[in-house]
Amino acid sequence: MWTGDWWWDTQVFTRWRGHRPLILASDKTQLSQFQGDKKAWPVYLTLGNISKEIRRRPSAHATVLLGYLPVPKLHCYSDATRSLAGYRIFHYCMGRILASLVEAGKAGVQMVCADGLTRLIFPILAAYVADYPEQCLISCCMENRCPRCTVDPNDRGDPTPSPNRDMPSTLETLDAHERGYEPETFTKDGIRAIYKPFWRDLPHCDIFGCFTPDLLHQLHKGFFKDHIVKWCTDLIGKNELDARFKAMSGYPGLRHFSKGISSVSQWTGTEHREMQRVFLGIIAGAVNEDVLTVVRAALDFIYYAQLQMQTSTTLAALKACLATFHRFKDIFIKYEIRKHFNIPKIHALLHYFASIQALGSNDGYNSESPERLHIDFAKDAFRASNKKDYHEQMALWLQRREAMWQREAYITWLSAQQQTMDEKLSNDPNDPNDLDTNNQTSAHDASSMTRASYHVAKTPPLRGVTISHLIANFAATSFIPALTSFLQQQQSHPLLPNMSDRFDLYKQIIITLPSNTFLGSQIMTDRIRTSPAVPPRGRKAGLPGVFDTALIVDDPIEYRSRGGLAGLRVAQVRVIFLLPEYFGVHPHPLAYVEWFTSLGAPDPQTGMYVINRSTRQHQPNSAIISTARIVRGCHLMGQFGRTIAKGWTTDNILENAKNFYLNPYIHVDTFTTVNIT
């Protein structure tokens, strides 16, 4: 968060003294299951100077529960006044919870920091994580209005920005309305009559600028699932769309919608993201060029918006994607799928740029984090109660849990301190017996710093496999010619293979991907499987063979100099094996692969590379390569055409399809590799 403009702008108000940006989150959740209507409304607090990688981990306990807001039914009010009463109760309770921030934000408060020193700290509300209805509740506006700007409700489909809401003018309008006047802006801006909003007296706070993008509800569920998918379903038809999802090729970790998507009744953020990974390949060929352009722009926007690091390049690409979407979106009106685009979630996309520039990347404020916290701070606590007067019991139960967490953290810290002290005592320079130990430790540390780019099983699970078995079950039809060519390139007078040779095989290889600055410090891996078909046995159904595709270094010089996909080529990995010692020593396992054609220019409509199988004399173009040349796994999607061919399934699509799309949306890491580097 400290990379955003808000941090620097606020330091001017606090005269460069210590300020702590507060991040609030609130979300109503259901407590009772199957029956009952018990609900809770937790309010969470975390700090912006804590790294977002830590804030996102519930086990780090970097977010605390401030309290529970009441969830009254308000039956004593009429239908016309019940909603306004609920608004006022919310703001009154939030004002009580945050009352201490008013004086602390103005004059500061003495706090003991992590280094043990006492400093004058100014806690200031910087961000508020909430879904769209709650943002309207907080900003005191009607739910058919934007909580951040004063756009007319009939112009929300227009990409032209509107003036942002302003706290002083909003408070002035509320004060005038409370005195009995009817200011024009009260009705024009859709303001609700909450005369004492909780943020009225908070210092250095712009509540309208505190609202952060909601990746889960705005992008994955709203923009993509509720709109893009629905519009394309109306164009293509449910049956055709389901058939395409059923026939989508597999990939490690990719969900296969074996029954299509029309029969799924309950969706989560995980399913939305799984659909996004293959959706452009699903609709390609079934819709015209303009629809494909709109969907591609929408998917690109979603992928750019969820990057963990934003640059001027990615923000420019984000703006370009949204501009492209608005330029071509009227195609859905032409096909009578939509009559207008006055949709709140689409309008909210205009505010992503300002939010990223002010508060940092969106992944630090995703509403999935507070929804995950509901388990620890609401649902588990409710289950521990007797379901009567449960709020008091939940609070007491959480106090005891927090005491246990603090004790556990203290013991962990104390153990680490004791271990450090023991190491210092054991490294006495006057101890002559310690010299050999130091040398051994240094050698071990030096060797541990070198990490291989791949990992295979310690012992090959398939041993002594014949070449006949490789041809029959792994479809390695050119194994002997490929291995002969490989050995001749490695040695001047090699021992050549024949049908009597046997090999030890691996079922998979784990590739460690290069670090990606757009995805933080996490270590990512790809799994490439080479598993033959398993025949049915008794009542147990058989399993189809799985042979994944990968990107392999074809031109090392170009790959090292340009990076990205330069110098890489797609191949299907059929066999991963150890070279028997009598053929010579090779430092890495080998792989039998079947090449696809080289990557040319991307398809102008989809932006994806189109490739097909490479052949040589009407046979698959195959080769033996070192596994050290495998850079990453990749996902190929068959071109379905206008309608999908009968008989195509997820198990045979790689064999039956003629042309394939190289899927950049299979992972955000692949997306950045293809589009940014």
Side-chain angles (χ1 to χ4, degrees):
M1 185 177 184
W2 48 83
T3 60
D5 294 340
W6 180 94
W7 193 285
W8 300 98
D9 296 340
T10 306
Q11 288 182 127
V12 177
F13 298 110
T14 59
R15 298 179 181 179
W16 299 91
R17 290 175 288 183
H19 64 277
R20 293 296 177 265
L22 305 181
I23 302 175
L24 293 179
S26 59
D27 183 40
K28 195 182 301 182
T29 183
Q30 185 77 22
L31 296 177
S32 53
Q33 295 180 338
F34 306 114
Q35 59 180 357
D37 58 350
K38 302 293 192 299
K39 297 179 181 179
W41 200 339
V43 181
Y44 304 111
L45 170 70
T46 187
L47 296 178
N49 61 322
I50 300 176
S51 172
K52 60 185 179 182
E53 285 81 7
I54 298 177
R55 293 202 311 262
R56 289 200 302 260
R57 295 205 314 263
S59 59
H61 306 298
T63 302
V64 298
L65 175 70
L66 286 183
Y68 296 111
L69 298 176
V71 191
K73 299 184 182 300
L74 301 177
H75 291 317
C76 55
Y77 289 88
S78 64
D79 294 341
T81 60
R82 186 177 297 124
S83 175
L84 182 60
Y87 270 57
R88 290 175 173 173
I89 291 175
F90 170 84
H91 281 271
Y92 173 78
C93 295
M94 286 295 296
R96 293 288 300 272
I97 292 175
L98 304 179
S100 60
L101 291 182
V102 177
E103 186 61 28
K106 294 178 180 178
V109 59
Q110 296 289 338
M111 290 187 181
V112 179
C113 297
D115 57 4
L117 299 179
T118 301
R119 293 182 175 87
L120 185 65
I121 301 300
F122 294 83
I124 300 172
L125 179 60
Y128 203 120
V129 181
D131 56 16
Y132 175 76
E134 201 156 325
Q135 288 181 2
C136 295
L137 169 63
I138 296 166
S139 62
C140 306
C141 72
M142 299 179 179
E143 290 194 10
N144 66 338
R145 305 301 178 100
C146 174
R148 292 197 54 153
C149 70
T150 57
V151 63
D152 187 275
N154 296 321
D155 295 334
R156 287 176 294 183
D158 190 346
T160 304
S162 299
N164 290 328
R165 292 184 182 271
D166 179 67
M167 276 187 58
S169 60
T170 301
L171 293 175
E172 183 180 348
T173 300
L174 287 172
D175 292 340
H177 190 271
E178 185 179 18
R179 292 193 298 268
Y181 298 102
E182 292 293 336
E184 180 183 357
T185 54
F186 186 84
T187 303
K188 180 182 177 182
D189 296 343
I191 300 175
R192 302 293 295 267
I194 295 89
Y195 303 123
K196 295 182 180 180
F198 73 86
W199 38 264
R200 171 184 281 271
D201 298 322
L202 292 180
H204 315 305
C205 172
D206 177 15
I207 192 64
F208 306 116
C210 289
F211 298 131
T212 58
D214 185 357
L215 297 179
L216 176 62
H217 297 98
Q218 288 177 354
L219 285 186
H220 299 310
K221 181 182 183 300
F223 184 40
F224 177 73
K225 172 60 176 62
D226 294 344
H227 300 301
I228 297 296
V229 174
K230 182 179 181 301
W231 301 342
C232 292
T233 303
D234 293 340
L235 282 175
I236 301 174
K238 290 183 179 180
N239 294 335
E240 178 66 20
L241 198 66
D242 285 344
R244 291 168 177 250
F245 271 105
K246 294 176 184 178
M248 178 53 60
S249 55
Y251 181 82
L254 175 66
R255 172 170 175 176
H256 176 225
F257 293 91
S258 58
K259 297 181 180 179
I261 63 171
S262 62
S263 60
V264 179
S265 59
Q266 187 171 0
W267 292 90
T268 65
T270 302
E271 278 88 12
H272 299 151
R273 284 186 287 267
E274 292 298 307
M275 279 200 298
Q276 292 167 13
R277 299 172 73 181
V278 298
F279 195 72
L280 192 64
I282 289 287
I283 67 170
V287 296
N288 70 10
E289 182 178 348
D290 288 347
V291 174
L292 206 59
T293 301
V294 172
V295 175
R296 176 189 170 190
L299 287 173
D300 286 350
F301 185 95
I302 293 172
Y303 273 69
Y304 279 117
Q306 59 185 311
L307 296 181
Q308 297 181 22
M309 185 190 76
Q310 297 285 357
T311 65
S312 56
T313 301
T314 59
L315 287 178
L318 195 69
K319 289 184 179 181
C321 293
L322 188 59
T324 301
F325 170 82
H326 282 291
R327 187 163 62 250
F328 290 93
K329 69 179 186 296
D330 289 342
I331 188 65
F332 292 106
I333 295 179
K334 177 182 178 181
Y335 286 126
E336 299 182 351
I337 301 298
R338 291 289 306 177
K339 295 181 179 179
H340 62 81
F341 292 95
N342 296 324
I343 301 171
K345 291 182 175 64
I346 293 181
H347 169 76
L349 306 183
L350 292 173
H351 299 298
Y352 275 46
F353 318 109
S355 178
I356 293 172
Q357 290 175 331
L359 300 174
S361 57
N362 295 327
D363 63 299
Y365 312 98
N366 197 350
S367 60
E368 286 181 288
S369 296
E371 290 200 359
R372 169 59 183 83
L373 292 173
H374 288 338
I375 299 175
D376 295 333
F377 291 110
K379 298 182 184 297
D380 287 348
F382 176 74
R383 296 188 187 102
S385 70
N386 64 2
K387 315 302 185 293
K388 296 180 180 179
D389 297 328
Y390 52 88
H391 281 109
E392 291 81 359
Q393 298 178 51
M394 291 166 63
L396 179 60
W397 185 81
L398 286 172
Q399 287 177 358
R400 294 170 177 171
R401 287 287 299 273
E402 288 180 356
M404 294 169 60
W405 291 336
Q406 293 175 2
R407 177 67 175 175
E408 180 184 359
Y410 172 73
I411 293 176
T412 302
W413 172 83
L414 190 63
S415 300
Q417 295 295 317
Q418 184 64 41
Q419 183 179 359
T420 303
M421 183 63 67
D422 293 341
E423 291 176 354
K424 289 181 179 180
L425 293 175
S426 63
N427 293 333
D428 185 0
N430 298 322
D431 186 0
N433 297 323
D434 197 40
L435 295 177
D436 293 339
T437 303
N438 288 338
N439 292 335
Q440 292 174 6
T441 302
S442 299
H444 173 73
D445 291 344
S447 63
S448 64
M449 293 174 64
T450 304
R451 184 176 63 242
S453 60
Y454 67 87
H455 173 75
V456 293
K458 187 175 182 180
T459 304
L462 303 176
R463 304 182 69 87
V465 178
T466 64
I467 293 181
S468 300
H469 185 82
L470 293 178
I471 296 174
N473 295 281
F474 291 80
T477 55
S478 302
F479 186 84
I480 290 182
L483 183 56
T484 300
S485 176
F486 175 82
L487 293 175
Q488 289 175 344
Q489 294 175 5
Q490 300 293 318
Q491 307 171 23
S492 57
H493 300 286
L495 178 65
L496 300 181
N498 55 60
M499 294 296 294
S500 62
D501 292 317
R502 294 175 178 266
F503 299 86
D504 297 339
L505 311 183
Y506 297 99
K507 290 185 177 181
Q508 63 179 11
I509 183 173
I510 307 297
I511 305 296
T512 302
L513 301 180
S515 60
N516 190 328
T517 55
F518 295 100
L519 298 180
S521 58
Q522 58 179 318
I523 298 176
M524 295 169 294
T525 60
D526 271 349
R527 182 161 56 102
I528 300 172
R529 305 162 296 179
T530 57
S531 301
V534 178
R537 191 172 184 179
R539 298 177 60 183
K540 190 175 182 180
L543 297 175
V546 178
F547 303 98
D548 291 326
T549 53
L551 283 166
I552 298 171
V553 177
D554 190 41
D555 188 337
I557 297 177
E558 186 177 9
Y559 176 66
R560 283 194 297 266
S561 62
R562 296 175 54 192
L565 298 183
L568 300 183
R569 188 174 178 181
V570 178
Q572 185 176 24
V573 183
R574 289 283 185 181
V575 184
I576 302 173
F577 64 97
L578 284 178
L579 187 67
E581 294 182 358
Y582 55 81
F583 284 119
V585 178
H586 196 275
H588 305 285
L590 303 179
Y592 172 83
V593 301
E594 294 179 352
W595 295 108
F596 287 78
T597 53
S598 301
L599 301 177
D603 176 50
Q605 294 185 12
T606 62
M608 297 186 289
Y609 293 95
V610 179
I611 58 178
N612 51 60
R613 288 190 177 273
S614 176
T615 59
R616 181 180 297 171
Q617 296 179 353
H618 305 289
Q619 294 295 323
N621 183 8
S622 56
I624 298 290
I625 65 165
S626 170
T627 53
R629 292 173 56 186
I630 302 178
V631 176
R632 64 174 70 238
C634 66
H635 182 231
L636 298 184
M637 301 182 291
Q639 283 188 341
F640 295 117
R642 190 64 185 176
T643 58
I644 187 172
K646 293 182 178 180
W648 282 13
T649 67
T650 184
D651 301 327
N652 62 26
I653 185 71
L654 286 179
E655 311 301 330
N656 292 337
K658 180 180 179 181
N659 297 317
F660 301 89
Y661 291 115
L662 177 59
N663 185 7
Y665 302 99
I666 193 63
H667 193 276
V668 181
D669 176 70
T670 307
F671 178 82
T672 57
T673 301
V674 173
N675 293 280
I676 301 178
T677 56

